[in-house]
Amino acid sequence: MSHWRTTHSSKVISPSEAIGQVKNGARIYLGSMCSEPKTMIEALSKSYVEDVQMVQFLSGRAATSLAETCPERFSLKTFFVGRRSAESRRHVEADHVPLFHSQIPNFLRMRRIPIDIAIVQVSEPDRFGRFSLGISVDTSLAAVQSARVVIAQVNSRMPRTHGDTVLTEEDLDYLVPAEEELDVLPEEQLGDRERTISRYCAELIDDGAVVHFGFTGISRGLMDCFTHHRHLGLHTEILTDPLVDLIEKGVIDNRNKRMYRGKSVATCCMGTRKVYDFVHENSAIEFFPSDVVLNPSFIATNDRMVAVNLGLQVDLRGHVRQGSPTWTAFEGSGGDHDFMRGASLAEGGRSIVCLRSTSPKRGLSTIVPSFGPDAAVMMNRGEVGYVITEYGIAYLGGKSIRERAAALIEIAHPDHREDLTRRARELGYVYPDHYYCMTANPALRKRVRTDRMFKGGVQGHVRVIKPTDEQMIRDLFYNLSEEAVYFRYFSPRRAMPHANLVQYVNLSEDEGLSIVVTHGPRENRRIIGEARYIVDARKEYGEVAFMVDEAFHGHGIGTFLLEYLIEIAKERGLKGFSADVLVSNLPMLKMFHRVPYVVHKSVSEGAYSIRFRFDELKAGTNG
């Protein structure tokens, strides 16, 4: 394409000549992300202009350096803050424009943020003479459309991309040939706790879902957890190397998308040269401005849309703060809010916020009672569906403040849960008698947690009971018949008030273990079975008891729970189990007689006292 300079010779000028169009007091839009026009910024630094305001979506290294080096001549206004020095933090914060990504193009087009000159990088023209904005359409197209003068730095290393990326000669006032390497963003390898968060995140994304990853998509460790998914769609803000890997492996094929079927949609891409080469003239990848891709109504057209973003802090009411980097070096509202809103409107959509339970350097809890005065709230409490830390998943959708606070305390770092509980009581977020109890350590929770297919195709999720199960245990109790309640409690109990429930769901591992079977979609799960053992004073035997929803009798849930409790109790050093069973409770008696151990029983006042040791097998039973 070297002939393009001749074809467009009337508009081809040098960098210094192009910068000559910049006057004192001008407002300049500079391409950002990984397509920052460094050659033009260098020419700008060598000029004699003063009082120039530079506008970028994401503060780039070259523009930030110029503003820091010559603050009397250049200032930088950004919508999303990138890497910066500690010294520049205060000034960068002051010039940050808090708009959602989807709002920015309209502010530019309506000249509510006026642009005198737009300087962007473009590809060399194709055989039809059309240039491409390449890897960064986002807000750049609107800047080009609204600027009084447009200067295009033509870079042979900029890929030509599909979508709404095309610029014709009529759109550009000046062309500056300048070959330079596009900025690259190195991938970040995640640590153990981030990989744990990623595994939890992967559980919330079903085959066939359409996904968005905010700056989480930069980290390959998260993507590693999706390699076994099938037929995912991609509608995201930023295309990155790990996402390209998933496309190449066939995990992302976009076959189930309602809009742009078979195509991945984004506003820009950031990463290594690999991703830039991948998108070059690739019709399966389309880039559109942020007011299109990030429009919540457009996002919501994707059934099962899942938006995954990062947060810095979450307060006990469910507000999400973003104001400093977590495991990426960027901050600001960006497109997180747009995608969270769009996902919440989508049929079967899910919004997910991931964060470490503690800050990387100081070990402070990232789940807090409330935010400080300088906090930037990224999402309000009504827009967040799931919050994930390395300690689990909290579902907040449709939950009261009391339920939200309890769920978030459960996934906070164990060292901070007691203090968070105390502050929640002081703030009136939880019951006055609410207290923190570690029902099981993380290793035991992980050991117990499993999925199980029961007889009749009943899918269940098995885990340790949690304090937030209070409402579900209450529902299970009221689903039981009077006979079932009598079998379980040996009395005609008619109610299960909070005072009883709070003790029931806060069984510590020193006292015993309670495991539950949940059933149904994540947003509407209910407990259909619960089993527990309470250890005796000598910590040798466990007394077992069960509750199974009568609508699920005959599916083998009770038998499984007993076998699973035995398996775990043996690992934890117990010698055996005991139980009291009414003589009229024939199904329970049969279940105990099916165990492979010698069952000793005695009867008194209409009830059997049953006991068996794990080392006393029935004759003919293999150990």
Side-chain angles (χ1 to χ4, degrees):
M1 294 296 176
S2 59
H3 66 276
W4 72 266
R5 302 190 190 195
T6 303
T7 307
H8 303 282
S9 60
S10 62
K11 293 189 175 183
V12 175
I13 60 176
S14 68
S16 59
E17 290 174 321
I19 293 302
Q21 305 302 313
V22 180
K23 308 301 180 185
N24 291 345
R27 296 184 181 90
I28 303 175
Y29 176 89
L30 296 173
S32 62
M33 309 297 273
C34 287
S35 62
E36 188 179 38
K38 297 184 290 294
T39 297
M40 293 302 300
I41 294 173
E42 182 181 359
L44 192 62
S45 70
K46 296 177 181 178
S47 69
Y48 297 98
V49 295
E50 298 181 7
D51 194 23
V52 172
Q53 184 181 81
M54 300 179 293
V55 178
Q56 276 189 313
F57 170 64
L58 170 68
S59 55
R61 288 188 178 93
T64 299
S65 177
L66 181 57
E68 291 178 354
T69 304
C70 306
E72 71 284 353
R73 295 174 55 207
F74 300 100
S75 62
L76 180 61
K77 179 183 290 186
T78 65
F79 304 95
F80 204 85
V81 181
R83 301 175 190 273
R84 71 282 175 96
S85 65
E87 295 79 10
S88 68
R89 179 186 178 102
R90 183 172 57 188
H91 301 293
V92 170
E93 189 77 20
D95 287 322
H96 171 247
V97 182
L99 287 175
F100 300 131
H101 197 175
S102 63
Q103 297 175 302
I104 300 170
N106 190 53
F107 271 75
L108 296 173
R109 292 192 187 100
M110 298 297 291
R111 295 192 63 80
R112 294 170 184 168
I113 300 177
I115 300 297
D116 298 315
I117 299 176
I119 303 177
V120 294
Q121 279 205 81
V122 299
S123 70
E124 290 187 329
D126 62 15
R127 61 194 179 95
F128 301 107
R130 300 173 302 188
F131 300 84
S132 170
L133 282 167
I135 64 172
S136 186
V137 180
D138 43 78
T139 60
S140 293
L141 182 61
V144 168
Q145 293 169 340
S146 63
R148 304 187 192 281
V149 176
V150 180
I151 299 172
Q153 178 179 315
V154 185
N155 186 357
S156 64
R157 296 183 180 273
M158 175 67 77
R160 283 188 292 274
T161 55
H162 286 252
D164 195 2
T165 72
V166 173
L167 298 175
T168 65
E169 182 181 9
E170 289 71 27
D171 298 318
L172 308 173
D173 296 294
Y174 300 100
L175 304 174
V176 180
E179 182 175 306
E180 64 182 42
E181 291 290 347
L182 300 176
D183 282 343
V184 296
L185 190 69
E187 296 172 29
E188 186 171 4
Q189 296 299 321
L190 302 186
D192 289 341
R193 64 174 176 171
E194 290 84 13
R195 281 191 287 270
T196 300
I197 292 170
S198 300
R199 286 193 291 270
Y200 282 130
C201 184
E203 292 180 11
L204 296 176
I205 298 179
D206 301 323
D207 290 344
V210 180
V211 295
H212 153 76
F213 296 99
F215 281 107
T216 52
I218 294 166
S219 302
R220 183 175 296 277
L222 176 61
M223 301 299 104
D224 291 344
C225 298
F226 292 87
T227 54
H228 299 295
H229 282 63
R230 292 169 52 82
H231 306 312
L232 295 182
L234 186 64
H235 183 127
T236 194
E237 184 177 15
I238 305 168
L239 184 69
T240 61
D241 284 76
L243 291 172
V244 168
D245 289 345
L246 293 184
I247 294 172
E248 291 182 326
K249 291 175 181 176
V251 174
I252 294 174
D253 59 16
N254 298 291
R255 65 181 292 177
N256 295 322
K257 289 174 71 175
R258 293 174 58 188
M259 302 287 286
Y260 294 92
R261 188 186 305 272
K263 295 180 182 290
S264 296
V265 175
T267 70
C268 60
C269 61
M270 299 176 70
T272 66
R273 188 68 219 181
K274 174 186 175 180
V275 70
Y276 305 150
D277 292 338
F278 181 80
V279 301
H280 179 60
E281 297 186 339
N282 186 343
S283 62
I285 312 293
E286 296 196 354
F287 295 94
F288 294 91
S290 54
D291 58 336
V292 175
V293 175
L294 281 78
N295 184 320
S297 298
F298 181 32
I299 294 168
T301 63
N302 295 299
D303 293 342
R304 293 188 289 170
M305 181 74 214
V306 181
V308 183
N309 289 299
L310 295 178
L312 169 68
Q313 289 180 328
V314 177
D315 77 5
L316 291 178
R317 296 170 295 175
H319 291 113
V320 178
R321 175 191 174 192
Q322 187 160 5
S324 291
T326 48
W327 62 78
T328 56
F330 303 95
E331 61 182 62
S333 55
D336 295 352
H337 176 273
D338 297 316
F339 272 99
M340 288 296 180
R341 181 66 175 155
S344 67
L345 295 172
E347 183 70 27
R350 286 173 175 166
S351 62
I352 302 171
V353 173
C354 301
L355 74 163
R356 300 182 180 105
S357 66
T358 56
S359 58
K361 293 183 179 180
R362 301 176 61 189
L364 301 177
S365 178
T366 58
I367 295 175
V368 296
S370 58
F371 297 145
D374 296 330
V377 176
M378 178 181 72
M379 284 169 279
N380 68 50
R381 56 195 177 187
E383 295 165 335
V384 181
Y386 292 90
V387 177
I388 300 176
T389 73
E390 68 270 29
Y391 291 101
I393 304 170
Y395 177 58
L396 307 186
K399 304 298 184 182
S400 67
I401 298 299
R402 178 180 297 119
E403 293 166 327
R404 285 165 172 252
L408 289 167
I409 290 170
E410 274 186 5
I411 64 169
H413 192 284
D415 292 348
H416 297 284
R417 291 177 191 170
E418 191 168 346
D419 184 62
L420 286 170
T421 302
R422 177 184 61 79
R423 291 287 290 122
R425 288 197 302 268
E426 293 172 355
L427 291 167
Y429 292 167
V430 295
Y431 288 111
D433 62 350
H434 187 96
Y435 62 94
Y436 165 64
C437 172
M438 179 176 283
T439 54
N441 65 68
L444 180 57
R445 285 185 178 277
K446 183 178 180 181
R447 162 66 181 87
V448 172
R449 197 169 186 265
T450 187
D451 291 313
R452 173 84 178 187
M453 183 68 74
F454 296 99
K455 295 178 184 177
V458 175
Q459 181 68 45
H461 178 69
V462 185
R463 58 170 173 78
V464 175
I465 200 169
K466 303 185 293 186
T468 49
D469 289 333
E470 182 174 330
Q471 183 61 50
M472 287 198 289
I473 290 293
R474 180 179 183 273
D475 293 340
L476 175 61
F477 172 83
Y478 286 112
N479 280 338
L480 299 177
S481 65
E482 291 183 5
E483 181 184 46
V485 170
Y486 194 82
F487 283 163
R488 172 64 178 82
Y489 294 102
F490 285 37
S491 64
R493 183 173 294 188
R494 299 184 180 277
M496 183 65 74
H498 163 71
N500 290 1
L501 284 168
V502 71
Q503 295 179 7
Y504 197 89
V505 299
N506 282 282
L507 177 64
S508 73
E509 62 179 294
D510 290 334
E511 300 170 310
L513 179 68
S514 170
I515 59 178
V516 298
V517 178
T518 65
H519 174 69
R522 282 187 174 271
E523 289 80 6
N524 297 300
R525 278 187 174 170
R526 59 189 179 116
I527 292 176
I528 59 173
E530 187 267 344
R532 62 180 50 209
Y533 66 77
I534 308 294
V535 296
D536 61 18
R538 297 178 63 183
K539 308 291 185 182
E540 292 183 346
Y541 284 83
E543 183 178 358
V544 294
F546 300 83
M547 277 196 297
V548 177
D549 190 320
E550 287 166 283
F552 291 89
H553 281 187
H555 294 279
I557 295 174
T559 299
F560 165 77
L561 286 172
L562 176 58
E563 292 173 350
Y564 205 36
L565 280 180
I566 290 172
E567 182 181 318
I568 296 167
K570 289 169 67 176
E571 293 173 2
R572 304 188 73 204
L574 292 186
K575 294 182 178 180
F577 275 168
S578 65
D580 291 327
V581 183
L582 290 172
V583 294
S584 56
N585 192 352
L586 299 180
M588 187 65 68
L589 290 171
K590 290 180 180 178
M591 185 176 71
F592 278 115
H593 280 292
R594 287 196 294 267
V595 300
Y597 310 107
V598 176
V599 176
H600 304 275
K601 63 181 181 179
S602 60
V603 63
S604 174
E605 298 181 355
Y608 284 109
S609 291
I610 293 174
R611 178 177 290 240
F612 55 87
R613 293 175 58 92
F614 300 146
D615 61 358
E616 191 177 1
L617 294 170
K618 292 178 181 176
T621 303
N622 293 325

